[in-house]
Amino acid sequence: MSYNNLLTEREGLVLKITINRPKQLNALNKETIQELNHALDTANKDKEIGAIIVTGAGEKAFVAGADIKEFADFSVEKGQELAANGQEILFDFMEFMSKPVIAAVNGFALGGGLELAMAAHIRVASDNARLGLPEVSLGVIPGYGGTQRLTQLVGSGKAFEMITTAGMISADDAHKWGLVNHVVSQEELMPLAEKIAGKIIKNSPNAIHAAIRAINANHVEGVDGFEVEIEEFGKCFGTPEFVEGTTAFIEKRKADFRK
Ligand code: CO8
């Protein structure tokens, strides 16, 4: 499948998705959001994909936000509809996928761009990355989950500061704040993301999906994450992958979860 705004590249069990609108700093227009949904949905159903890396084309931006030109003349209703639809088909969708998504933040990650990185399960950044939620400078607030996910990741004090000042923080500060897991040079960014993906794909796909469900349950309202963990833990015992994992350990060999 080819896309107008994405490049996809598959290496073994890892799918790399590059948002490819470098002239607009990879801003997320409606079509790009729909294409991302399609690419992620397809990957989610594909047993031969174990991890996904999302990055931006060029060396300047991961994603500089939602495409401002597209929503500049929106009404209250259209604004709400845009946010609700985007959250459902891309941001929440990504967070609740069965396979881990790694955001390789290679430059500006602003507004919807930072919200996309935060919906991924793991974030790594290059040292030129600048991260922020500048929406209040445009007269709106983050609408793709940013008020919630930033607060979960860095705490409310820092989230208040980032959102109300509309400022950008450096990759190093993002690292100190726990917003990204690692900071490396641009050249090292993709190899690092691939190295993390390489470790993930050796493990049980079923257990990874169960872990995603349990970790995400930590912040789903009305859900007791400990209960979800117990339930997911128990279910693992009924899977062939658990038999393979424990048998391989006893037989002193590497488990092969994909045979
Ligand atoms: N949308 C559309 N176009 C953009 C965007 C964007 N978010 N960001 C950059 N571009 C375009 C510019 O318009 C410019 O295009 P052109 O050459 O045609 O004029 C091109 O990309 C290059 O940008 P600049 O010339 O501005 O590059 P600079 O290096 O001078 O500046 C910046 C880089 C600082 C990143 C600057 O481009 C900028 O401030 N961009 C906007 C950042 C921003 O405010 N992002 C948040 C957008 S709002 C958002 O994401 C809301 C999410 C929730 C929505 C929920 C639904 C309502």
Side-chain angles (χ1 to χ4, degrees):
M1 169 86 190
S2 72
Y3 298 102
N4 291 330
N5 308 286
L6 306 179
L7 301 171
T8 57
E9 192 187 327
R10 201 166 158 159
E11 210 176 300
L13 297 165
V14 180
L15 176 72
K16 186 167 127 194
I17 302 175
T18 304
I19 299 164
N20 188 32
R21 300 183 76 215
K23 285 193 185 134
Q24 293 82 25
L25 304 186
N26 305 318
L28 295 176
N29 60 357
K30 209 172 163 192
E31 188 183 42
T32 306
I33 289 178
Q34 279 161 351
E35 289 186 353
L36 278 166
N37 168 268
H38 185 274
L40 292 171
D41 189 31
T42 308
N44 211 28
K45 292 172 182 150
D46 188 337
K47 285 203 165 81
E48 295 305 311
I49 291 177
I52 297 143
I53 299 171
V54 176
T55 194
E59 296 193 342
K60 192 168 171 183
F62 172 68
V63 171
D67 193 319
I68 298 168
K69 290 159 197 162
E70 255 189 9
F71 64 77
D73 63 350
F74 271 18
S75 62
V76 171
E77 291 73 27
K78 279 188 92 175
Q80 279 180 357
E81 190 189 310
L82 185 72
N85 184 257
Q87 288 195 16
E88 183 188 335
I89 71 167
L90 179 54
F91 299 82
D92 291 352
F93 184 86
M94 181 186 270
E95 184 172 25
F96 286 90
M97 279 180 56
S98 60
K99 299 143 201 252
V101 180
I102 302 166
V105 179
N106 58 319
F108 288 113
L110 302 174
L114 178 54
E115 290 174 303
L116 185 68
M118 291 192 295
H121 304 101
I122 296 168
R123 283 157 294 286
V124 294
S126 55
D127 49 18
N128 67 321
R130 308 267 293 155
L131 301 89
L133 293 178
E135 284 88 342
V136 296
S137 71
L138 297 166
V140 289
I141 65 166
Y144 286 143
T147 60
Q148 305 307 297
R149 292 194 180 96
L150 185 64
T151 308
Q152 283 150 17
L153 284 164
V154 304
S156 63
K158 292 189 177 83
F160 272 122
E161 184 177 333
M162 274 182 79
I163 292 171
T164 59
T165 63
M168 295 183 209
I169 62 168
S170 66
D172 282 338
D173 280 344
H175 187 213
K176 276 186 218 143
W177 290 13
L179 190 48
V180 300
N181 295 5
H182 306 276
V183 177
V184 291
S185 67
Q186 279 249 337
E187 303 76 60
E188 290 168 308
L189 184 65
M190 199 43 69
L192 173 63
E194 286 164 359
K195 190 174 161 192
I196 296 170
K199 288 182 182 175
I200 291 168
I201 58 174
K202 289 188 186 137
N203 299 318
S204 154
N206 174 73
I208 285 173
H209 188 193
I212 291 173
R213 280 194 289 255
I215 295 168
N216 284 347
N218 177 254
H219 54 261
V220 177
E221 205 176 316
V223 172
D224 181 341
F226 289 98
E227 288 298 327
V228 175
E229 184 181 283
I230 290 165
E231 194 186 320
E232 293 294 340
F233 177 79
K235 281 199 289 190
C236 290
F237 285 76
T239 66
E241 289 176 25
F242 172 74
V243 176
E244 167 61 10
T246 47
T247 307
F249 177 81
I250 291 160
E251 292 175 355
K252 297 191 186 302
R253 60 171 173 84
K254 282 197 176 11
D256 178 2
F257 293 111
R258 295 177 185 273
K259 59 183 176 186

